[in-house]
Structure formats: structure tokens, C-alpha cells
């Protein structure tokens, strides 16, 4: 779009500067029909995609882009207004023009440059801006190719504060971008990793054929092992493609290198195996170690390419996270907020995003206490991940989550300060930095941003989880978490409407949220589950969200919508919730799962997400996963295989069964994402740096195209095609901790399913009765009845305590405990349980005084028993 000159005729007194650049050619001439390379240069569409640093928020005033620049900045480049993804072609001729005003008056320089170190300048044009608009016009010849150059108006360096306004920004020249045609490979789209032997096996075929087509499944040797007819599906709304689907679920033979041939096209190869996802569980969790702040990354653990020194510990050029001041006017103290995870592609650390990511790692572990297929957490135990803490007798997933928990606790406002007990919303660089930039090389000052109610409630929720989950491993840390959770919740109730500013987005994302009723509900639920305190249950049941529909079609939950987290935990974590309320809560989970199943069956690519553009948003892949998590939870609650199959099938979309025929998980699949937006893993920009580690999930298709690179490249795309595997596209291709936490939860569930065969019928019933409780202890009796047709000769009964309970003494069984998991094995004299017969054993336990609910899952020889 060529910027409008709508106000030039009204600016008769304006100064016009015409500069002819040389940049390789003495007198560049730009044809009048040359294409426009600047987006929204007349600001008729608001401020997007323009950004600023070192200034106040951008705003459009009288059709101009204006901002205030503080006085006293030492250099022109200490503040700027810019646009990324400006394409330049070496040797092509360009005309850069703009109108600028400054009040009271200041020097301004426009610089076309490489948007990352070493910030090579391609062309520049300076002016002395006055309250009356100055028009600047410069021609030049581009000295280099760059499909994603950066235009920056440097506006710092004045002793006085300035109001700067831009208008009619234009860069004409070069060539119009050719239509982007992604390489989608074969028209047969499959899960490129593979399928579980007993699970669903579906594929999508892009074809103009309207009648069913024959399909053939071939082994790696080329032998046809199965065949059938496809199902016509018409035009898929999300992709705009005419498609048919193939269901080969009845084929269950494990093997490697299978291919599917339909309509003369052959798919990428895939495997059929019950062990497909074991490594994905580890890889997706390994991402968090790679994102750790404040510690060296050990190449022996994660790979030599990923080794780096500790970042943000105050070692030059870092200004560190160990002694961080607040933004001006926010506080007069400094905090040590080292540690935690870098949030996404930048070096910021955000409590509300860290909160949901930590919750999902903790919940991945907590699920092992209540889900039959989780095998008591064997896949998440100590020494299952490559983390420095392995071998410490603590499940590695808890070690990883603790790295973030310690950071979150440090973000709490200290006692004696205004807003004590509240939590700072975020900490990040004062100004945006470019790509690539290793954490240890970041020179920007770091700042604490104001506390918010949302951040405070995030800490309350995850610290409450921490208090119950870490109790068997580190009682002191659990107690510290519990105290911080209660303090944070009380502070939030005292300050219920302290919101992060949407305008506070310089140097890091704003993560604003002005509706925190869901955070209150989630935090109250977690605190009640941990403490059993009636006051928290009162807050849970008084919340309108307790009986509302909290599972949205486009995404069951996310950092800005967390009510479903409370609902899921109330449905799964053992508690004394009244039976009728528990039944209703669980029914709401299965009802949501039914809706996601219906959506999945409607979609030709088999994902639990509607096909409209509004459902394909920034980080939309995590919405696919989170909806699958609801399906998986419904399976854990009901043992209904249709929910499990829906969760399993949802993974197909992420791993290649999509319009782009691409796996969104680095290192997984024949054709996978490699160039996610990250300052750390920036191989595309610097061959000496690695790509993101295997198991990193890309944000995915985003129909809003909220970065200029994607907007320039993908304008008019159908929703599922609104993605590009390029480091410059942060709105479609970034990595983020809350996206990978979702993937880790689902990968752990998938790994637990084995071959995903038929769900076995229950062959036992258990009565678990706590006969007496006293200060510091309790007595429990367990009766197990054989409801199956055959005798049981040798038994092992297992369950997990919800909190700090510990077995002290036992009788009529050999009872042991590891962490929260209790295992009772037969004595020699009661090993056999005949059909219809029962055995009983008992124990005395110790507890610090928290709730002692009956377990939701008790297994006999690994199979779930009916609870009575």
C-alpha cells in the first residue's frame, strides 16, 4: 500500500529535505510504479506493525504516529520507532520518504539496517525535526539482500522530552514479493512420527476427486499390508483444500517405515509402535532446561551445541537478575530474581506465563497419582531427564519445575513494603533487543514491573500445588511454598483489581489481563485441595465460575484463562469435595471432552479445534494440545477409550497431519519446524548457533498474522496455511514455555498409553477407610475384593497420598513408601485371593495436619480397582 499524502497540501510551510543517496550508485532512480515495502505507513490501521523502545506508548493522533521521548537520553539510538521485515534486494533502487515533527524540536535519523548484531546500515536519512512537519525524501541503491531488514527512526539524544510524530512513511522500490508457495510435499498427510498399534490411525488426502479413492498401506519393503477406500470430505474450511480421509485403524502390526499411497501420492514414512512417544516425553521436558536462566547449561547433558555460560547473573555485559530495581516510580527496593525460565524467544520472565507452565509440569506429575495408565509415575521418576539434579531421589519433573518455582517465589513483594505479599508481574530488559542474542551477552538493564493481582494469584495457585507435591521430598520447601501461597492469596483479596498495563510492552510482552475472576477461582481451588481450609472452599463454591462453562471451544485454557485449571484439579485431585459437587465437576469435564470429540470428527484434519479463522491464533498449537488434555483427563476419569483415542489423534495434527504437511515439533517427523523465533536458538541467522532442541513446539498457524514478516508473506492465507517456519515470524513460529508445558503433559500421557489397546475390565474392588485421625497421625484399613473370574496368587496394591502423609506401621501386608506412592504386598499366608474373596490390611500413618483424603486411584497388580 502506498502511503497517503493527505496532509502535504496543508503543510505549505513545511520544510522539504531531498537527499540523493549513493550506496553503490550515484543517482538511483525509482520508477513511479515501484512497489511499497512499508506496511501501514499512513497509520490508517492504527499502530501495528510499528514498535518502539525507550519511548512512551505509541498512539495515532490526528492520523500521525506519535509518542513521547524522555529527555536526557545520551544517544539518538537510545530511543526508536521501527518496523521489522522490510525486504531489500541488492542492487535495487529505493525511495525512502517520511514526514516528521518534534516538539520542542530534535534531531531524528531514519536508518535501514540489519535488525540484529552487527546492525549493518544499508541507508540512512537524518533531519532536524521541528513542531512543523519536515518532509524527508531520499533515494538509494540497496547494497545487500535482506528479506527482513529493519527501519528504525532514532529519536533519542535530546536534553528535553520530545513529542515525536511520524506520517506518510514510505519505502518504494525493489520488487513486489512473489506469491508465497510453501513446499507441502506429498498430498497424503499423516502423523510423520507414527501411530500406536491399538490406537486410531487416520490420514488426510488433498485431492479434487469426489468419489472414494482406493488406498494402500505398504511396509518398508513395499509390500501391501492393508487397503481400503477413502471417505470424501469436501472442502476443508481451515485449509480451503478439497480433501478425503483414510481410516486404517484396524491395522495393528508394529513396524517401521510404513507409507500410505492414495491417488498416486505416497506419504512420508511413519512407524507403528507402542513406544513412539517415550522419547518425546523426555524431549519436550528437556526444553525447560535449555530455557533456564541463571545457570550454566551443561553440554554433556543436552548436547554440546546448547552449552552456554549462565545468563543474567551480573557478569558483564549482563546487568544481572540478582539485584534488580523497579521501573521508575514503581518501588524503591531491589530484588534478587535470578533463576527461572526465559519465557519464549526473548529473555523476559513473566509470572503469569511461568505460572501456567509450572502448573502443567506439576500437574503432569500429579496425574501419575490418579491415572491408571501412568504406572505410578515410573516414566517421570528420578534420572528420567537430563537435568543437573538427577540422582537426588526426587522425580526429575519436580526438579525442573522447582527451578521456576524458586524464581516465582523471589518475585513476591517483601514484608514491610507497600503491596507486601503481592507479586511483580514480570522482569525483563528495559528495551527490546535483536536476534540473535545469547543470554550471557544481553547488555540491557533489567527492571521489575509493577505487581499485579493476576501474577499474585498465579503464585498462590502454583505455590499451593508445590506445598502438597513436594512435601514427601522436601518438607521445608513445601512449607515455604505453602506460606507464600497463603500470603499471596490474602494480598490478592486485599488488592483485587491491580492490573498489568496493556501499554507496558517495551522490552517485553505486556501479558495484560483485566479479568482475574478465573485466577481467584483457580488459586482458591488449589489452596483448598492443599490445606483443606473451609475458607478456601467457600471462595471456590461462591465463585460464579464454579458452575459456569469454563472450557472454551477455541482453547480450554491458557495463561489469560485459567478457570479450567481449577476445574480439572477439583475433578482429579483427591479431596473431601461433597459427592454431588464432585460428580457435577467431573461431568463438566466429560461434557467438554464430548464437544472436543465432536469438533475433532468434524475436522478433516482430525484436530479438536474449530476450522474458523478466529480459532487459529497466536500460540494456537497449545490450544490444540490443551483441548487434547481435557480429552485425556476425561479418559483418566472414565476409562472410556473414545476420549483416549481423541487425545491420541489430536497429536497427529501437531506431527504432520495438517495442510502444510509439517511437524510443528523440532526433531520429530520427516519434515519438521527448525527455525522457531528465539534469540538463543538462532541458527537461521548465525550458523554457529543451534536450532531449537528436539521437542520444541512452534506456536503454529495464526490467521491474524501479527508480525510484519508473516503479514508480508502470507497475506490472504487460509487459517491452516498462516504459518511460516522462519525465525522472523514471531507470531506464528515462536517457542514458549507454556506451549511446551502443554506438549510435555500430552507427550507424557501418550507415552503412558503403550499400544493403546482395549481398556481392561476392572477385576477388583477396594474399600479404603480411615478409622481414626489425631494430631499428627491416622489409622487406615484397606479391603481388597477379587471381582474377577480367576484366583489371584500374589498381590501388590498401590496408591499415592495427596500430600505429606507417611506410613509409620502396618499389619497383614508388607507396606513400603517411595515419595507419595504406597505399595502393599502380600504376606506369605495371604497371597491368594479367590474369586469373590477379600483380604484386609491396615496401617498407621503420620501427617503434619493437612487434609488426608481417600485416594482416587488404587491398583491391584497394576490394574485399577473399583472404589467403594
Amino acid at each position: 500500500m502506498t502511503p497517503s499524502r493527505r496532509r502535504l497540501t496543508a503543510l505549505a510551510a513545511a520544510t522539504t529535505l531531498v537527499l540523493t543517496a549513493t550506496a553503490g550508485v550515484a543517482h538511483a532512480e525509482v520508477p513511479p510504479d515501484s512497489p511499497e515495502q512499508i506496511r501501514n505507513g499512513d497509520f490508517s490501521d492504527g499502530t501495528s506493525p510499528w514498535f518502539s523502545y525507550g519511548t512512551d506508548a505509541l498512539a495515532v493522533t490526528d492520523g500521525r504516529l506519535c509518542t513521547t521521548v524522555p529527555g536526557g537520553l545520551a544517544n539518538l539510538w537510545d530511543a526508536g520507532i521501527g518496523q521489522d521485515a522490510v525486504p531489500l534486494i541488492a542492487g535495487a533502487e529505493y525511495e525512502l520518504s517520511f514526514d516528521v515533527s518534534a516538539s520542542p524540536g530534535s534531531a531524528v535519523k531514519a536508518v535501514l539496517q540489519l535488525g540484529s548484531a552487527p546492525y549493518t546500515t544499508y541507508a540512512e536519512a537524518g533531519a532536524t525535526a521541528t513542531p512543523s512537519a519536515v518532509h524527508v525524501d531520499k533515494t538509494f541503491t540497496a547494497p545487500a539482500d535482506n528479506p527482513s531488514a529493519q527501519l528504525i527512526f532514532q529519536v533519542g539524544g535530546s536534553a528535553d522530552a520530545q513529542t515525536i510524530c511520524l506520517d506518510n512513511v514510505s519505502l518504494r522500490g525493489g520488487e513486489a514479493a512473489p506469491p508465497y508457495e510453501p513446499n507441502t510435499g506429498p498430498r497424503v498427510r499423516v502423523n510423520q512420527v507414527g501411530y500406536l498399534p491399538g490406537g486410531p490411525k487416520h490420514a488426510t488426502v488433498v485431492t479434487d476427486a469426489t468419489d472414494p479413492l482406493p488406498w494402500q498401506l505398504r511396509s518398508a519393503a513395499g509390500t501391501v499390508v492393508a487397503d481400503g477406500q477413502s471417505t470424501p470430505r469436501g472442502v476443508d474450511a481451515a485449509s480451503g483444500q478439497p480433501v478425503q480421509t483414510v481410516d486404517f485403524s484396524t491395522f495393528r502390526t508394529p513396524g517401521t517405515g510404513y507409507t500410505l499411497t492414495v491417488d498416486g501420492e505416497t506419504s512420508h514414512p511413519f512407524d507403528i509402535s507402542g513406544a513412539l512417544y517415550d522419547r518425546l516425553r523426555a524431549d519436550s521436558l528437556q526444553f525447560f532446561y535449555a530455557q533456564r536462566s541463571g545457570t550454566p547449561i551443561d553440554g554433556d547433558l543436552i548436547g554440546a551445541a546448547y552449552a552456554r555460560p549462565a545468563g543474567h547473573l551480573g557478569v558483564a555485559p549482563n546487568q544481572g537478575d540478582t539485584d534488580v530495581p523497579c521501573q521508575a516510580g514503581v518501588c524503591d527496593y531491589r530484588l534478587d530474581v535470578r533463576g527461572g525460565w526465559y519465557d519464549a524467544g526473548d529473555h523476559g520472565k513473566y509470572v503469569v506465563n511461568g505460572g501456567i507452565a509450572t502448573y502443567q509440569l506439576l500437574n503432569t506429575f500429579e496425574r501419575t497419582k490418579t491415572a491408571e495408565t501412568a504406572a505410578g509415575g515410573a516414566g517421570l521418576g528420578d534420572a528420567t531427564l537430563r537435568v543437573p539434579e538427577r540422582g537426588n531421589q526426587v522425580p526429575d519433573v519436580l526438579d525442573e519445575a522447582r527451578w521456576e518455582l524458586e524464581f516465582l517465589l523471589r518475585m513476591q513483594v517483601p514484608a514491610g513494603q507497600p503491596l507486601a505479599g503481592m507479586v511483580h508481574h514480570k522482569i525483563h530488559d528495559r528495551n527490546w533487543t535483536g536476534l540473535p542474542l545469547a543470554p550471557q551477552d544481553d547488555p540491557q538493564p533489567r527492571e521489575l514491573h509493577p505487581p499485579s493481582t493476576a501474577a499474585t494469584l498465579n503464585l498462590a495457585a502454583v505455590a499451593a500445588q508445590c506445598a502438597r507435591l513436594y512435601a514427601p521430598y522436601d518438607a521445608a520447601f513445601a512449607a515455604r511454598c505453602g506460606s507464600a501461597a497463603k500470603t499471596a492469596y490474602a494480598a490478592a483479596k486485599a488488592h483485587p483489581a491491580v492490573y498489568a498495563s496493556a501499554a507496558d510492552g517495551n522490552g517485553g510482552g505486556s501479558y495484560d489481563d483485566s479479568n482475574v475472576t478465573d485466577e481467584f477461582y483457580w488459586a482458591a481451588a488449589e489452596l483448598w485441595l492443599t490445606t483443606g481450609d473451609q475458607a478456601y472452599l467457600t471462595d471456590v463454591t461462591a465463585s460464579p465460575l464454579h458452575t459456569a462453562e469454563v472450557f472454551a471451544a477455541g482453547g480450554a485454557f491458557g495463561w489469560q484463562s485459567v478457570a479450567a485449571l481449577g476445574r480439572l484439579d477439583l475433578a482429579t485431585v483427591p479431596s473431601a469435595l461433597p459427592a454431588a459437587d464432585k460428580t457435577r465437576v467431573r461431568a463438566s469435564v466429560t461434557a467438554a471432552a464430548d464437544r472436543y470429540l465432536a469438533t475433532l470428527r468434524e475436522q478433516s484434519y482430525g484436530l479438536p479445534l474449530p476450522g474458523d479463522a478466529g480459532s487459529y491464533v497466536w500460540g494456537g498449537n497449545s490450544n490444540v494440545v490443551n483441548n487434547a488434555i481435557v480429552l485425556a483427563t476425561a479418559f483418566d476419569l472414565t476409562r472410556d477409550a473414545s476420549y483416549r483415542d481423541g487425545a491420541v489423534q489430536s497429536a497427529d495434527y501437531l506431527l504432520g497431519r495438517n495442510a502444510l504437511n509439517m511437524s510443528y515439533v523440532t526433531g520429530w517427523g520427516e519434515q519438521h519446524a527448525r527455525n522457531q523465533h528465539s534469540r538463543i536458538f538462532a541458527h537461521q541467522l548465525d550458523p554457529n548457533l543451534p536450532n531449537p532442541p528436539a521437542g520444541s513446539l512452534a506456536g503454529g498457524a495464526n490467521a491474524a498474522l501479527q508480525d510484519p514478516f508473516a503479514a508480508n508473506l502470507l497475506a490472504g492465507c487460509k487459517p491452516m496455511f498462516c504459518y511460516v517456519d522462519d525465525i522472523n515470524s514471531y507470531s506464528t513460529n515462536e517457542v514458549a514455555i507454556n506451549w511446551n508445558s502443554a506438549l510435555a503433559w500430552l507427550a507424557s500421557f501418550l507415552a503412558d498409553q503403550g499400544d493403546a489397546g482395549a481398556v481392561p475390565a476392572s477385576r477388583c474392588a477396594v474399600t479404603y477407610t480411615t478409622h481414626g485421625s489425631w494430631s499428627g497421625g491416622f489409622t487406615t484399613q484397606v479391603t481388597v475384593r477379587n471381582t474377577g473370574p480367576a484366583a489371584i496368587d500374589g498381590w501388590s496394591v498401590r496408591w499415592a497420598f495427596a500430600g505429606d502423609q507417611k506410613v509409620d506401621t502396618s499389619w497383614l501386608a508388607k507396606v513400603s513408601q517411595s515419595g507419595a506412592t504406597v505399595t502393599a504386598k502380600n504376606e506369605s499366608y495371604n497371597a491368594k485371593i479367590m474369586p469373590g474373596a477379600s483380604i484386609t490390611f491396615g496401617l498407621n500413618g503420620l501427617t503434619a495436619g493437612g487434609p488426608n483424603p481417600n485416594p482416587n486411584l488404587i491398583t491391584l497388580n497394576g490394574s485399577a480397582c473399583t472404589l467403594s
Side-chain angles (χ1 to χ4, degrees), residues 185-534:
R187 291 185 286 108
V188 182
R189 312 288 159 78
V190 297
N191 180 329
Q192 295 172 25
V193 174
Y195 301 87
L196 302 178
K201 302 176 191 70
H202 296 272
T204 302
V205 185
V206 180
T207 176
D208 291 326
T210 56
D211 294 327
L213 296 168
W215 58 262
Q216 293 180 324
L217 180 67
R218 285 185 165 87
S219 68
T223 304
V224 175
V225 295
D227 56 28
Q229 295 282 311
S230 63
T231 301
R233 298 292 295 266
V235 175
D236 174 64
S239 66
Q241 297 169 316
V243 296
Q244 300 197 24
T245 55
V246 172
D247 182 351
F248 56 107
S249 301
T250 57
F251 184 81
R252 301 186 172 207
T253 304
T256 61
Y258 287 106
T259 56
L260 185 68
T261 299
V262 193
D263 199 24
E265 293 273 320
T266 298
S267 73
H268 289 303
F270 56 87
D271 298 343
I272 296 177
S273 169
L276 277 181
Y277 296 111
D278 292 355
R279 186 169 62 85
L280 182 58
R281 168 160 52 195
D283 281 358
S284 57
L285 286 167
Q286 197 70 51
F287 172 84
F288 294 89
Y289 178 58
Q291 290 286 114
R292 283 193 191 186
S293 174
T295 187
I297 302 303
D298 186 346
D300 289 339
L301 289 174
I302 194 173
Y306 298 96
R308 66 172 190 269
H312 296 100
L313 285 184
V315 178
N318 281 173
Q319 300 189 35
D321 285 357
T322 57
D323 186 32
V324 182
C326 286
Q327 282 180 309
V330 170
C331 74
D332 58 5
Y333 53 82
R334 305 169 77 94
L335 292 181
D336 175 357
V337 290
R338 69 188 186 279
W341 302 313
Y342 296 119
D343 177 70
D346 62 304
H347 299 141
K349 300 185 292 188
Y350 309 85
V351 169
V352 295
N353 218 38
I356 189 172
T358 305
Y359 163 85
Q360 288 194 298
L361 263 62
L362 294 177
N363 189 253
T364 299
F365 174 75
E366 190 154 39
R367 176 185 169 270
T368 68
K369 298 183 177 189
T370 60
E372 178 183 4
T373 59
L380 289 167
D382 189 23
T384 56
L385 297 179
R386 292 157 285 162
V387 294
E389 300 85 0
R390 63 188 307 170
N392 63 355
Q393 307 304 308
V394 177
D396 288 344
V397 67
L398 294 186
D399 287 326
E400 190 57 70
R402 182 167 179 167
W403 192 260
E404 180 74 2
L405 279 164
E406 295 275 12
F407 158 71
L408 296 174
L409 292 168
R410 293 184 184 110
M411 291 288 281
Q412 195 161 27
V413 177
Q417 298 291 344
L419 300 179
M422 295 284 280
V423 177
H424 287 277
H425 197 73
K426 56 181 183 168
I427 177 259
H428 56 64
D429 292 343
R430 182 177 296 166
N431 294 310
W432 284 109
T433 56
L435 284 75
L437 184 65
Q440 69 271 14
D441 296 330
D442 177 13
Q444 277 287 319
R446 307 278 275 179
E447 294 178 331
L448 289 164
H449 292 246
S452 72
T453 305
T456 304
L457 290 166
N458 267 259
L459 176 65
V462 296
Q465 275 184 294
C466 164
R468 66 177 182 264
L469 293 178
Y470 289 82
Y473 307 100
D474 188 333
F477 179 60
R480 181 178 156 216
C481 283
S483 177
K486 294 172 186 177
T487 298
Y489 190 76
K493 292 192 78 171
H495 305 282
V498 179
Y499 303 130
S501 169
D504 187 14
N506 190 45
S510 58
Y511 281 98
D512 55 299
D513 186 357
S514 59
N515 180 355
V516 295
T517 55
D518 52 322
E519 282 84 1
F520 271 110
Y521 178 67
W522 174 35
E526 299 295 351
L527 277 159
W528 180 69
L529 291 168
T530 297
T531 68
D533 189 327
Q534 181 64 36

Side-chain angles (χ1 to χ4, degrees), residues 539-560:
D539 286 354
V540 168
T541 56
S543 171
L545 292 171
H546 189 51
T547 54
E549 177 50 64
V550 296
F551 300 101
F557 49 86
W559 69 265
Q560 204 173 32

Side-chain angles (χ1 to χ4, degrees), residues 642-733:
S642 66
Y643 297 131
R644 177 198 62 193
D645 290 351
V648 170
Q649 186 175 337
S650 298
D652 295 350
Y653 171 81
L654 301 174
L655 297 172
R657 188 190 171 199
N658 53 58
L660 289 165
N661 205 7
M662 168 178 283
S663 168
Y664 287 111
V665 182
T666 301
W668 284 78
E670 188 84 3
Q671 178 63 35
H672 59 81
R674 290 173 167 83
N675 299 307
Q676 290 101 317
H677 178 86
S678 169
R679 283 161 176 74
I680 304 173
F681 313 119
H683 180 79
Q684 187 179 358
L685 299 177
D686 182 349
N688 295 313
L689 296 175
N691 289 118
S696 302
L697 178 65
N702 175 11
L705 300 179
Q706 290 161 284
D707 67 81
F709 185 88
N712 288 342
L713 192 69
L714 304 174
C717 55
K718 289 291 185 180
M720 206 180 285
F721 279 104
C722 296
Y723 169 84
V724 58
D725 182 25
D726 193 288
I727 197 169
N728 293 294
S729 181
Y730 50 83
S731 74
T732 77
N733 200 37

